Amino acid sequence: MYDVATSLIYKWRRTVRARETGFAEVVVVPDKPFAASVPAAPPAVIELEIAGKVRLRIPLTTPPTLAAAMVKALGVS
């Protein structure tokens, strides 16, 4: 994919292990801008349909206590 020989990776590992710090920073940059090549995914949500009358969409980032309070406010147990 990035035209790096396996033997070179092992050589880098040996070199890094020989150093006192044991840390090597690596940055991999894609050939194409990532944002331009892949469309943004829609935000994940939990969606509840209650008795076919009410639809509640709760983002996954919502704290569990708040989500429970919203469901309770609709009278669902």
Side-chain angles (χ1 to χ4, degrees):
M1 177 181 255
Y2 289 103
D3 296 327
V4 176
T6 306
S7 61
L8 186 55
I9 293 172
Y10 286 107
K11 179 181 177 184
W12 291 339
R13 285 178 63 192
R14 283 190 302 273
T15 304
V16 169
R17 285 181 180 167
R19 293 182 187 167
E20 290 182 28
T21 61
F23 176 78
E25 184 176 349
V26 177
V27 178
V28 177
V29 180
D31 294 337
K32 299 177 189 174
F34 183 76
S37 62
V38 177
V45 296
I46 298 170
E47 189 170 319
L48 303 171
E49 188 170 323
I50 303 163
K53 297 179 183 178
V54 177
R55 182 173 291 162
L56 177 63
R57 295 175 54 107
I58 304 171
L60 291 180
T61 56
T62 304
T65 53
L66 178 58
M70 293 186 322
V71 172
K72 186 176 180 180
L74 292 172
V76 179
S77 52

